[in-house]
Amino acid sequence: MTTVTENSIATHTLIENRWSPRAFTNDPVSEEQLEALFEAARWAPSAMNEQPWRFIYATKEDKEVFEKLGSLLVEGNNWAKNAGALFVSIAKTKYDFNGSPNKHAWHDVGLATGNLLLQATELGLHVHLMGGFDAAMAKQELGIPDGFEAVAMGAVGYAGDPESLPEPLKARELAPRKRKPLRELVFKGQWEQK
Ligand SMILES: Cc1cc2nc3c(=O)[nH]c(=O)nc-3n(C[C@H](O)[C@H](O)[C@H](O)COP(=O)(O)O)c2cc1C
């Protein structure tokens, strides 16, 4: 997987090298590695330093819980069950300090998850995030209390052989990674101003 950057100043290799595989090897992911990922997440910035992120995870060795997490996924994400670990990210939707809605909660879960992804890259691991799962069922099955919402799921492991995937997953795995050009995303001083 190569990433084409638009700038003469190099993007950090951790950012360049991160991508989301669908094929995973059978290699296990250790508790120690997962702890390193969640530790990276823990140090993300957040509104009012609320740290509204929570994670529930299972390694493949913890068969029962791993299968429970796997059962939350939509069929199109079944490839994730080959990964070494699965997790659900969760947002605390109200501020600790006054109970008012924290409109930045999902934003901050995303920031924490971004840290987690880069730490995974540093360890030679890959994480594929998924919105395709049943969040209501996650809440019920995993005992997530009121005031918390399941945000996304992640598959963690080592990138495997794309040839092991059925179509159309194989084609997606081998397709070049694409991004919108900066000019569509970034404006100077005013909307759509170059
Ligand atoms: C919040 C979120 C939800 C996603 N949901 C899915 C999903 O359900 N299934 C899937 O195959 N990929 C999912 N992805 C992965 C994206 O498709 C992927 O990150 C994007 O195509 C860019 O590819 P890259 O991560 O390899 O750079 C999701 C990513 C994010 C951040």
Side-chain angles (χ1 to χ4, degrees), residues 41-178:
R42 192 165 78 92
W43 285 100
S46 60
M48 305 290 291
N49 199 19
E50 270 280 321
Q51 304 153 65
W53 44 77
R54 305 288 185 273
F55 298 94
I56 296 176
Y57 76 94
T59 64
K60 210 177 216 162
E61 288 64 48
D62 189 357
K63 202 169 177 297
E64 197 180 319
V65 190
F66 186 88
E67 279 175 12
K68 193 193 272 189
L69 292 189
S71 73
L72 303 172
L73 294 167
V74 298
E75 207 183 322
N77 285 334
N78 272 343
W79 47 262
K81 295 175 187 171
N82 291 322
L86 291 170
F87 69 81
V88 182
S89 64
I90 297 153
K92 182 176 195 293
T93 56
K94 290 187 175 157
Y95 281 111
D96 281 338
F97 80 102
N98 67 359
S100 69
N102 178 358
K103 67 176 180 175
H104 302 295
W106 281 48
H107 172 277
D108 293 348
V109 173
L111 278 178
T113 308
N115 274 12
L116 184 156
L117 261 50
L118 295 181
Q119 184 67 43
T121 311
E122 171 70 11
L123 299 180
L125 289 163
H126 286 81
V127 180
H128 193 142
L129 295 174
M130 296 163 288
F133 76 105
D134 189 331
M137 189 156 106
K139 209 168 151 92
Q140 197 178 325
E141 290 290 317
L142 304 174
I144 300 169
D146 287 346
F148 293 82
E149 287 174 20
V151 174
M153 286 188 66
V156 189
Y158 294 92
D161 183 0
E163 296 297 329
S164 67
L165 293 167
E167 292 293 358
L169 295 177
K170 182 178 149 189
R172 278 185 213 148
E173 194 84 335
L174 295 170
R177 293 174 64 233
K178 284 189 189 156

